[in-house]
Amino acid sequence: MNDINTLALLGVIAGPVIFAAAIYFTKQTKLRNILVLGAALLTSALGIFIAASPSANVYPDSWVVYAGAGLEIVMTLAVLAIAYNIRSWAVGLFGTIQLVLVVISEFMHGESSIGPAFVVDDLSRVMVAIVSVVGSLILVYSIGYMKEHEHHAPATARSTNTFMFFLVGFIGAMNGLVLANDMKWLGCFFEATTICSFVLIGHDRTREAAKNAARAILINSFGGVALTIGAFLALLKGSTQYSGILYHADIIAFSFIALAGLVKSAQMPFQSWLLGAMVAPTPVSALLHSATMVNIGVYLVLRAAPAFVGTKLMYFIAIIGAFSFAATSALAIAQSNGKKVLAYSTIGNLGLIFTCAGIDSPLGYSAAIMLLCFHAVSKGLLFLCMGTIEQKIGSRDIEDMGSLLREMPLTTVITLIGMASMLVPPFGMLLSKWLAIEAAISSPIVLLLVVIGSALTVLFWAKWIGRITTVSYHPWYTIERISISKQSVLAILATIVVIAGLGAILLYRDLFVDIAIRAYQGTYISQSDMKLFEAAGNIPYWPFMAFIGLALVAGILAYFTVNASNVRAPFLCGENVPGSTKTYEFRSVKDSSHLAWSSSLYLRHIFEESKTTMWANLIAAVIILSMFAAIGVL
Amino acid sequence: MSETIIKLLIAIVAAPLVGAIIAGLDRKVTARMQGRVGPPILQPIYDVLKLLIKQPIFLNRVQILYAFMHLAFMMLTLVLLILGQDLLLTLFVHAFATISLILGGMCVRSPYSRIGSQRKTLMLLAYEPILVIMVVGIYLSQGSFMASDVVAAGAKPLLLSLPLVFIAYMMAMAIELQKSPFDVASSHHAHQEIVKGVTLEYAGPFLAIIEIAHFYEVFLLFAVVYFFWAPYNLANAAVGMALAAGAFLFHIVLDNTFARLPAMWIVRFMWVIVFLMATTNIIWLYRLGTI
Amino acid sequence: MSVLAKSPWVVHFNCNSCNGCDIEFLACLCPTYDVERFGVVHVGNPKHADILVVTGSVNHRNARVLANVYQQMPSPKVVVACGVCTSSGGIFADCYNVLGGVDKFIPVDVFVPGCPPRPEAMIDGIVKAVGILAAKAKGIETPVADKPRITVSPSPKPVDETPAQEPDEVGAVK
């Protein structure tokens, strides 16, 4: 370990927090924006530096551990303060339990041989890269977004300074969380992200926002309790660190940490807080509730996966993930609220990552990391697009996005890129879904759930893409005017999505496979799993490029060569109302004009939200309880 | 290398021709079954050639891009299959080809076309899990996802271990070939109902592109039937061909005997009866522990 | 022979017909006559069609529909008018709402006489139309169809002599 690495580590965690404090006390808007930009630049630079640097560990002096413990107590007290503020006895109870456990553990001693307090390994480097790059871009985006949001936000909303403080500070906490190995630090940052999430969801301070923020902190502090219990149980066996739990294969302690992960990643039956979190301004949804914070859960499980190969616990985690994937995909079909569809899809994809992690083979592991990366970037992009669209058309309903391609062609094309990356081979998402199914081959129940889920996802993506590309013929399009910060971030993210997506096969072959191999070194892997793993790395690259290129070239050629005189109105049994402006109207009784309109497919009679949610929650709860029963906790 | 080129030529040039001839035979046999003379066997080729020289009328440019994507991904499916690549990935590519067509029908403001697309989405939903289960079954009986391993010498014919999956595949195939009772999305016979469904707003050369893609698909579907008895030697190849011919006749009889069913009915039928049938087969394989 | 002639796809539009011609036309598709052996497909929409088969006389309400349907067909395209109504309004010519024959609104290439015409006559008409289709594809000027000069008595007297306004190029962008 050298000093530069330590400094970078410190910078990536403390840097954003210091910037955040500076932002909080800045009076001038311009200066504040510059500070946000500075924070974004610093974090992304350091994040990329850490991601590119070799693995390193930071061994603690004793003060580091004490600082962690102190900060964890501070955070717990903050949760208690919030509990008092929103008058929630349940949050208070959870906070108290945490406080008691943390204080008791201060007086207990762990192992004498202490591992690193902060770890830079493959997984945390991947996470730091995601958090820093996607996070920084979202910070920049939020400069433009908040400027507009201030105008039509309700009068009760908190100041933008507070918003930026928590948003920027969150990135530091998140980086700390993924780098921490010491359970004290882990707990402290875990609580910090929960608090950030609470404040940011409640930003507008409307009745609905307050209610949803309260629900978010209630459910997440339950997760916090689970994490603290896990840490406490680990301490009883002598490990004060996450790596210690893995070293001892302490399955009971880990089961509680996994529960905390399921809560934080909003898996069924804990999904309601994430759905409620969509009332927050869109950068919050993009940053916390799709790209980074919700990944903590899968990160915690993924980190532990190689240590618990073949356990029942991992099997159950795979089932919970797969069930969440299938259930949320079904639920998303019935939604016409775009942000809610994205939220359900986020939960579903996190479920799929849990599945891959739970399958616990090199193939599953590599699929999980791949899914994690591609999902963060694509979903972050989609949320930002959603925010831009919402600010422009004033609605988040899918049915209102009919002529989007004409109103805001640039954003629409970028949205399409984001959606395509969820659906089109060989983009990363589809590739990892493919790997997930192959990895799940040895456990039939998981397999069936994933198959059902992935069939259902097609339905809502196709519907949405179909709606936003619906357009009449226009000889040219005028690019809409949106603020430079929003536009540049969308463009950069879209570029990342396209390049990474098209290179997904290469990335998989040269990066994710190696990570998985390193993670599973020395672990027993069955022959058939290994054979699958090797075969998956050998898919050819050129046919995909050739045919996608073919389609694009042909499409672009057609785009520029078609003749406007060949444009015709749609077939409406010949009853079209003549005239170029009203081509979609048809004549009905007494020569009245009607707009030809058909709604999209929602299947509401089958996937009615409240009923489906109830049953799904029930089943998910049973699965989680049986998980605990299977490992002998209950 | 030269082998790859030959395979590519088969996939890109020969496949649509064979597909067209199969489609032509289909029309001929159907006509004979109805006591008619029927069109020439090369009729689908004439149709496509005619469409290519018609006026290219269209509604918007997005629609055209989707048509090209449909064709390109359908070709890609076949190329991957013939190169002996991973079956599951091939299946996903095929699904996306279908999605492109669906989007092509959705992106125009034509109610009939949109309804056709929505029904097609339901159809995709109905048969996609069956096909994935089929691929899983193939893995369980052959120990590999690679198409090349299925046709490798010495492999056991799939039909012996996957009889129920084969029946399920027949149903999925009927949907994809748009045969009654599953022809709700876009059918030659359903023009009273939703005019032409998905392809309604495509005309001239753009319709020709979709027709060509359909020929690829027809070839693909029958190639998969052939796979069910494919370990490579001459006698087995004959059996595989016979199987494909049997499937062909089965679909024509099905088409001529059944009336069209509602879309949701089809989804239910596929998800309950056919899905259970395929799953039963898979569970049986799991119990045998062949992997 | 041009490929156009090998696969004439037909769309059938019933203007104001008494259904006599329509039933006879559908009989062409039945086993006895089987027009599909010439590659004829009965498509449901004008966008896929090469030949527009019209039956019945034109009235105020369907004139614009007829024009729209014709306009939505991709060229080259031909129109086959079946039955006497399509040429003059037939026995409905004196009705208050009838405007007259199809040729007042869209260019007709072949008239098939009869009330209703026999299926054989219709098939003959389609075969003639196929020839015209091939000629049009090559850019050869084809004559407008002959129409029976002497019509039944009483002679058709449309209520409104001014022809219905033909719709603009629907959907076309100037």
Side-chain angles (χ1 to χ4, degrees):
Chain A
M1 183 196 82
N2 56 40
D3 290 338
I4 290 191
N5 279 341
T6 321
L7 220 58
L9 229 58
L10 196 67
V12 90
I13 299 168
V17 178
I18 294 167
F19 265 101
I23 288 164
Y24 188 71
F25 293 108
T26 309
K27 290 277 186 291
Q28 280 169 302
T29 313
K30 207 161 220 172
L31 187 63
R32 187 187 71 207
N33 291 348
I34 291 171
L35 282 175
V36 173
L37 204 63
L41 282 176
L42 174 84
T43 322
S44 52
L46 288 177
I48 291 171
F49 175 76
I50 291 176
S53 64
S55 300
N57 299 322
V58 179
Y59 287 90
D61 297 323
S62 54
W63 69 267
V64 176
V65 178
Y66 288 127
L71 274 177
E72 189 175 14
I73 291 175
V74 171
M75 289 299 164
T76 323
L77 287 173
V79 170
L80 281 174
I82 290 172
Y84 176 73
N85 211 6
I86 60 171
R87 305 286 190 279
S88 165
W89 62 268
V91 178
L93 179 68
F94 291 146
T96 318
I97 297 174
Q98 261 173 291
L99 193 63
V100 170
L101 286 178
V102 171
V103 171
I104 292 176
S105 59
E106 281 309 296
F107 300 102
M108 295 169 62
H109 293 285
E111 281 169 300
S112 49
S113 66
I114 296 174
F118 289 93
V119 170
V120 182
D121 62 0
D122 287 326
L123 197 57
S124 49
R125 275 188 301 179
V126 167
M127 286 296 286
V128 167
I130 293 173
V131 174
S132 306
V133 175
V134 180
S136 303
L137 285 172
I138 294 172
L139 281 187
V140 177
Y141 175 91
S142 64
I143 296 175
Y145 184 91
M146 288 316 285
K147 197 175 152 199
E148 216 163 305
H149 187 77
E150 280 169 4
H151 290 303
H152 43 74
T156 49
R158 290 196 181 91
S159 72
T160 308
N161 274 20
T162 324
F163 179 84
M164 285 298 183
F165 171 75
F166 280 101
L167 203 64
V168 177
F170 164 78
I171 293 198
M174 183 68 202
N175 273 330
L177 184 51
V178 297
L179 290 165
N181 184 35
D182 190 279
M183 288 311 282
K184 294 270 183 328
W185 280 103
L186 205 65
C188 146
F189 287 128
F190 194 91
E191 287 307 316
T193 56
T194 301
I195 293 165
C196 285
S197 168
F198 167 77
V199 177
L200 290 171
I201 293 172
H203 175 75
D204 283 348
R205 286 205 285 201
T206 55
R207 189 178 288 261
E208 193 193 4
K211 197 184 87 195
N212 290 342
R215 192 190 309 152
I217 196 156
L218 172 65
I219 298 178
N220 275 320
S221 57
F222 173 70
V225 171
L227 187 73
T228 323
I229 293 176
F232 188 71
L233 290 175
L235 192 62
L236 289 180
K237 290 207 176 168
S239 38
T240 58
Q241 284 159 337
Y242 204 25
S243 55
I245 298 175
L246 308 187
Y247 179 75
H248 294 297
D250 188 352
I251 199 158
I252 308 284
F254 174 63
S255 70
F256 281 98
I257 295 173
L259 180 65
L262 289 173
V263 173
K264 201 78 172 175
S265 291
Q267 294 302 291
M268 292 255 169
F270 307 113
Q271 83 283 24
S272 65
W273 76 264
L274 187 67
L275 298 171
M278 294 300 144
V279 298
T282 302
V284 179
S285 308
L287 183 58
L288 274 73
H289 304 129
S290 78
T292 58
M293 190 182 83
V294 287
N295 285 345
I296 293 169
V298 285
Y299 164 78
L300 289 175
V301 173
L302 264 181
R303 163 142 284 198
F308 295 100
V309 172
T311 54
K312 274 189 187 142
L313 181 67
M314 293 316 272
Y315 179 66
F316 272 99
I317 287 176
I319 289 186
I320 294 169
F323 180 75
S324 290
F325 178 53
T328 50
S329 302
L331 280 163
I333 291 173
Q335 303 304 320
S336 66
N337 177 338
K339 242 179 145 181
K340 214 163 180 185
V341 172
L342 287 182
Y344 272 127
S345 156
T346 302
I347 303 171
N349 279 304
L350 290 170
L352 199 57
I353 305 177
F354 270 117
T355 311
C356 295
I359 290 162
D360 220 353
S361 66
L363 187 62
Y365 192 83
S366 58
I369 295 182
M370 188 158 162
L371 205 51
L372 194 69
C373 295
F374 283 101
H375 177 254
V377 182
S378 293
K379 236 354 136 25
L381 175 65
L382 278 176
F383 266 109
L384 296 187
C385 290
M386 193 61 218
T388 316
I389 292 168
E390 194 188 342
Q391 283 195 335
K392 181 96 180 174
I393 67 170
S395 163
R396 40 173 85 163
D397 198 302
I398 294 174
E399 298 295 305
D400 291 340
M401 299 185 187
S403 49
L404 214 55
L405 199 55
R406 183 172 51 90
E407 281 167 27
M408 34 196 332
L410 182 74
T411 315
T412 311
V413 167
I414 291 176
T415 315
L416 281 176
I417 289 174
M419 289 180 176
S421 70
M422 307 293 291
L423 209 59
V424 185
F427 277 92
M429 292 299 290
L430 193 108
L431 219 56
S432 29
K433 213 174 272 179
W434 162 62
L435 292 172
I437 294 182
E438 295 212 340
I441 196 86
S442 47
S443 34
I445 299 175
V446 177
L447 182 79
L448 278 183
L449 286 170
V450 174
V451 168
I452 290 172
S454 60
L456 290 172
T457 48
V458 169
L459 214 63
F460 62 85
W461 284 124
K463 169 176 74 192
W464 199 350
I465 297 179
R467 182 56 81 188
I468 64 171
T469 47
T470 303
V471 70
S472 41
Y473 176 80
H474 299 283
W476 59 78
Y477 295 95
T478 1
I479 288 181
E480 72 277 16
R481 299 179 74 94
I482 49 175
S483 72
I484 182 83
S485 78
K486 287 205 267 183
Q487 200 167 354
S488 55
V489 168
L490 289 182
I492 293 171
L493 262 177
T495 318
I496 295 177
V497 165
V498 169
I499 293 175
L502 290 180
I505 295 177
L506 301 179
L507 271 178
Y508 173 75
R509 232 188 264 164
D510 299 336
L511 185 65
F512 300 122
V513 166
D514 294 343
I515 292 178
I517 288 174
R518 276 201 290 274
Y520 280 82
Q521 231 157 23
T523 319
Y524 169 75
I525 304 299
S526 74
Q527 250 329 223
S528 59
D529 276 356
M530 217 49 221
K531 195 182 154 200
L532 266 180
F533 187 48
E534 278 158 16
N538 288 332
I539 52 170
Y541 185 58
W542 60 267
F544 287 96
M545 290 304 108
F547 284 95
I548 289 178
L550 194 75
L552 282 182
V553 167
I556 289 167
L557 271 182
Y559 188 94
F560 288 110
T561 52
V562 289
N563 192 339
S565 66
N566 289 332
V567 178
R568 291 290 183 277
F571 178 68
L572 296 171
C573 300
E575 284 286 13
N576 307 58
V577 172
S580 57
T581 51
K582 292 183 174 180
T583 45
Y584 305 110
E585 297 195 342
F586 65 93
R587 266 200 251 246
S588 181
V589 183
K590 284 189 177 170
D591 277 0
S592 56
S593 296
H594 290 274
L595 194 68
W597 170 262
S598 67
S599 152
S600 306
L601 194 66
Y602 289 102
L603 301 180
R604 291 217 169 93
H605 58 293
I606 301 175
F607 302 119
E608 203 260 315
E609 196 181 13
S610 60
K611 244 185 221 163
T612 317
T613 307
M614 189 186 81
W615 286 109
N617 280 349
L618 208 65
I619 297 171
V622 169
I623 300 174
I624 288 187
L625 287 180
S626 34
M627 172 176 97
F628 280 105
I631 57 166
V633 176
L634 288 180
Chain B
M1 192 61 209
S2 63
E3 197 189 351
T4 314
I5 290 171
I6 292 171
K7 279 180 176 173
L8 276 180
L9 277 180
I10 292 175
I12 293 171
V13 182
L17 291 176
V18 175
I21 289 169
I22 293 175
L25 272 174
D26 188 332
R27 281 172 74 174
K28 190 84 182 168
V29 175
T30 304
R32 283 297 165 87
M33 224 171 247
Q34 295 168 351
R36 295 188 283 120
V37 178
I41 287 168
L42 293 182
Q43 187 61 43
I45 296 178
Y46 300 148
D47 288 349
V48 165
L49 291 178
K50 175 205 73 176
L51 286 171
L52 282 173
I53 59 170
K54 292 279 287 187
Q55 183 190 11
I57 65 173
F58 65 101
L59 262 72
N60 64 38
R61 287 180 281 206
V62 189
Q63 186 191 18
I64 301 172
L65 177 66
Y66 282 136
F68 280 115
M69 269 161 68
H70 177 53
L71 177 63
F73 277 92
M74 206 53 100
M75 287 163 85
L76 177 59
T77 314
L78 208 58
V79 167
L80 286 177
L81 189 75
I82 288 189
L83 289 179
Q85 280 307 317
D86 193 289
L87 282 169
L88 198 58
L89 191 63
T90 312
L91 193 59
F92 281 156
V93 176
H94 175 249
F96 185 72
T98 313
I99 294 171
S100 308
L101 182 59
I102 290 171
L103 292 177
M106 266 194 198
C107 73
V108 290
R109 286 204 181 128
S110 166
Y112 296 108
S113 176
R114 288 190 68 97
I115 292 172
S117 281
Q118 289 172 4
R119 290 186 180 183
K120 186 105 182 155
T121 326
L122 284 179
M123 292 305 103
L124 184 68
L125 182 68
Y127 71 70
E128 196 59 23
I130 310 286
L131 294 185
V132 179
I133 295 288
M134 177 184 82
V135 172
V136 169
I138 292 176
Y139 174 82
L140 290 178
S141 61
Q142 306 286 12
S144 165
F145 276 112
M146 291 293 173
S148 53
D149 290 345
V150 179
V151 289
K156 202 168 57 136
L158 286 173
L159 189 60
L160 297 179
S161 51
L162 298 169
L164 290 176
V165 167
F166 181 74
I167 298 172
Y169 174 67
M170 282 292 116
M171 294 296 140
M173 188 176 169
I175 295 182
E176 282 181 88
L177 287 174
Q178 286 156 15
K179 295 290 185 195
S180 274
F182 306 125
D183 55 348
V184 285
S186 172
S187 135
H188 289 291
H189 316 300
H191 56 68
Q192 307 88 339
E193 199 179 320
I194 48 166
V195 192
K196 187 74 171 93
V198 187
T199 54
L200 164 63
E201 298 297 346
Y202 283 106
F206 309 125
L207 185 63
I209 290 171
I210 290 172
E211 285 292 315
I212 294 170
H214 183 65
F215 296 155
Y216 278 106
E217 193 175 14
V218 169
F219 181 85
L220 179 81
L221 292 170
F222 281 101
V224 174
V225 177
Y226 171 75
F227 264 28
F228 272 88
W229 203 291
Y232 189 72
N233 68 40
L234 220 54
N236 277 340
V239 178
M241 289 291 183
L243 203 61
F248 174 75
L249 285 176
F250 167 75
H251 286 305
I252 294 174
V253 172
L254 193 74
D255 195 22
N256 280 307
T257 27
F258 279 90
R260 199 176 314 118
L261 290 169
M264 277 318 290
W265 196 96
I266 297 172
V267 175
R268 258 178 239 137
F269 170 72
M270 294 301 282
W271 276 59
V272 178
I273 297 174
V274 180
F275 193 74
L276 274 184
M277 199 154 70
T279 326
T280 312
N281 201 155
I282 299 295
I283 292 169
W284 178 50
L285 284 181
Y286 270 113
R287 289 195 54 99
L288 280 180
T290 38
I291 51 165
Chain C
M1 202 163 60
S2 156
V3 279
L4 271 167
K6 283 190 174 172
S7 99
W9 289 3
V10 172
V11 62
H12 168 207
F13 184 63
N14 175 341
C15 261
N16 196 18
S17 167
C18 67
N19 275 8
C21 297
D22 307 286
I23 288 171
E24 295 303 312
F25 174 69
L26 291 180
C28 298
L29 299 163
C30 287
T32 316
Y33 301 101
D34 188 29
V35 276
E36 205 193 350
R37 64 203 148 116
F38 307 122
V40 171
V41 176
H42 185 199
V43 295
N45 77 75
K47 305 212 163 181
H48 296 176
D50 308 300
I51 300 176
L52 173 62
V53 170
V54 190
T55 56
S57 56
V58 180
N59 64 21
H60 287 284
R61 299 200 69 85
N62 66 25
R64 60 181 184 232
V65 181
L66 181 65
N68 273 334
V69 167
Y70 179 72
Q71 196 258 340
Q72 287 179 356
M73 287 169 67
S75 63
K77 53 191 170 186
V78 295
V79 177
V80 177
C82 289
V84 70
C85 294
T86 53
S87 68
S88 64
I91 58 165
F92 303 109
D94 274 347
C95 286
Y96 70 97
N97 61 337
V98 169
L99 295 174
V102 170
D103 57 330
K104 281 188 170 178
F105 302 95
I106 56 173
V108 175
D109 298 279
V110 179
F111 278 107
V112 180
C115 183
R118 292 183 64 83
E120 291 92 334
M122 288 187 177
I123 294 172
D124 198 29
I126 288 172
V127 170
K128 288 246 160 54
V130 161
I132 298 173
L133 198 62
K136 276 190 177 174
K138 291 196 187 101
I140 302 167
E141 252 335 273
T142 49
V144 177
D146 263 349
K147 185 172 163 178
R149 294 282 164 210
I150 304 160
T151 48
V152 288
S153 182
S155 63
K157 276 190 195 131
V159 188
D160 185 4
E161 282 296 338
T162 52
Q165 195 187 351
E166 188 165 343
D168 304 342
E169 283 276 291
V170 177
V173 175
K174 267 85 191 181

